[in-house]
Amino acid sequence: MSASDPVVAQWWLLLGDPELTRLVEAALSGNPSLAAAQARIAQARASIRQDRAGRMPSLGAQASTVQGRLPGLDIQGGAPPPSEQTNSDAETDDSLSFFNVGLNANWELEFAGGSRRRIEASNAQAAATVANAEDAKVQLTAQVASTYVNLREAQFRAEQFEAQISLQEEILALTYQRYQRGALPLFPVGTANAELEMLKSQLAEAEADIAVLSDALAILTGQVPGSVDAALTTAHSIPMPPEQVAIGDPASLVARRPDIRAAERSLAASTARIGVAEAARFPKLSFTGILGLGGSSLDDVVDVGDFSALAIPRLQWNFLDFGRVDAAIDQAGAARNEAVANYQQTVLLALQDAERALARFGQQRVALAASMQIKKQADGAADLNRQRFAAGAISKADLNQALREQQQASADLVRAKGALTLSWIALQKSLGLGWQEPVRDQ
């Protein structure tokens, strides 16, 4: 990566989770899709070097020999009259031998700047490739963070279901005892058993989510499925976003988002290609030069007295092409118009994405506050029921039911925290905060 490349802003550090930081760094260094993006950048930069080299002269070495026989043509000037020639001499008069070793040079000049515009288009396309690669990093880091948050929420959900299953098993046992004593009909027993089976199903779903999300993190970090399971088996609290979130204005949004930058650079490349097509209207001047040593025998190759030089200027102008150049210009103009429309659409979608992410983030903050209030009420109800059970005012089944409601409130609170963090991650991605311009030396 060169010093002029944009870099990924380490926004995930604001979540303060070392394990998440480790996973993101592993993904940035080991994800195959990023390696492919870097290869595309290398291809684009090689294309720039190739276009720049095309403007310069080319110089090469050559060695050639010509062996021929042209009947009826006296190659050997000044030979004796035919009556004085022997049969052997007559056979050599129409033979040709030529040996040459030297240098050749070629240089093409354009009067309309087509090569310069081609280089301009290559530079813009390379910049778009870099921006696309940085956009891939933004998407990757956001996907890793979202998957990690979902994993932590699934782990907590599984713990809560296990605790609720334990409580529900006691409720079922107590309900069945009361049924056996004739204090209850059979229907409550069936209801308690159905609730237990539902909790077991939810636990199985949570465990499946844990396995799937763990494998997803392994793939995102460039590892085989199951490689990161050991490091993530211990449940951990969901990382929470900072209290204050930097948003900025729409102008800074357009400047930050790499997908917008990529669309803008693609537009610049399409505009430059119009100039390349326009340059075909004008003539081109090329020079070909040959310097060398040679003659009719091999000894002439090393004889500096047999020095030869040849310069061939060539002017080419396709003034009659039956509309080929006009069609190429129209095609380039249409491609530019398409790039303009794509750029405008990218900007509009980016603004919509940002507005939607802001709205969801605000809504999740309200939802989290409500979940915290519900959890507080559930904790108070559980404490009160513990006191009532100790005083003999309620049964153990009633206490367990209150404790189950407390566990459910805890699970809902964790789910709300996870939703808030996920909405914050989406907000970071929509605002382009995962990408920034490099710091340039003053």
Side-chain angles (χ1 to χ4, degrees), residues 84-315:
E84 301 179 7
Q85 293 184 7
T86 64
N87 292 336
S88 176
D89 292 334
E91 292 178 357
T92 59
D93 285 348
D94 54 8
S95 297
L96 172 66
S97 296
F98 181 76
F99 304 91
N100 180 268
V101 175
L103 302 175
N104 61 74
N106 295 279
W107 191 15
E108 184 178 63
L109 298 177
E110 288 186 323
F111 300 106
S115 298
R116 178 177 56 82
R117 296 290 282 173
R118 187 178 294 107
I119 294 173
E120 181 181 342
S122 297
N123 278 320
Q125 194 60 52
T129 305
V130 172
N132 284 327
E134 296 308 312
D135 186 50
K137 292 181 180 179
V138 173
Q139 303 294 330
L140 176 63
T141 54
Q143 189 174 2
V144 171
S146 298
T147 305
Y148 177 79
V149 170
N150 285 324
L151 174 64
R152 293 309 188 191
E153 189 273 331
Q155 288 176 332
F156 185 85
R157 187 160 27 104
E159 290 182 349
Q160 293 299 312
F161 286 140
E162 289 176 350
Q164 291 187 50
I165 286 174
S166 178
L167 293 173
Q168 187 62 27
E169 287 175 342
E170 291 186 8
I171 293 175
L172 176 60
L174 293 172
T175 304
Y176 186 71
Q177 290 175 7
R178 296 180 64 185
Y179 163 73
Q180 287 183 323
R181 293 196 301 264
L184 287 176
L186 183 59
F187 178 75
V189 177
T191 301
N193 184 68
E195 291 182 5
L196 177 61
E197 294 301 323
M198 182 185 65
L199 289 173
K200 290 181 178 180
S201 174
Q202 292 173 334
L203 174 60
E205 181 181 356
E207 291 175 342
D209 289 342
I210 292 173
V212 171
L213 293 169
S214 298
D215 289 343
L217 285 175
I219 297 298
L220 290 172
T221 54
Q223 305 177 56
V224 297
S227 301
V228 298
D229 290 355
L232 297 174
T233 51
T234 303
H236 192 277
S237 60
I238 294 177
M240 297 299 294
E243 295 182 358
Q244 295 183 349
V245 179
I247 295 176
D249 52 25
S252 62
L253 166 65
V254 172
R256 283 197 304 258
R257 282 187 58 129
D259 56 342
I260 295 179
R261 179 61 61 87
E264 186 272 331
R265 289 290 82 200
S266 295
L267 171 58
S270 298
T271 303
R273 292 189 185 102
I274 296 178
V276 176
E278 288 278 2
R281 293 183 183 275
F282 300 92
K284 298 178 182 179
L285 180 63
S286 62
F287 295 91
T288 300
I290 300 176
L291 299 176
L293 300 173
S296 59
S297 67
L298 286 174
D299 294 338
D300 295 333
V301 174
V302 294
D303 187 357
V304 296
D306 290 336
F307 180 80
S308 60
L310 180 65
I312 306 174
R314 180 187 179 192
L315 181 64

Side-chain angles (χ1 to χ4, degrees), residues 19 22 35 37 71 99 101 103 139 190 225 245 276 318 346 356 358 406 418 426 438 441:
E19 185 63 27
R22 183 188 68 82
F99 304 91
V101 175
L103 302 175
Q139 303 294 330
V245 179
V276 176
N318 297 326
T346 301
R356 181 169 33 204
L358 283 169
Q406 183 185 30
D441 296 334

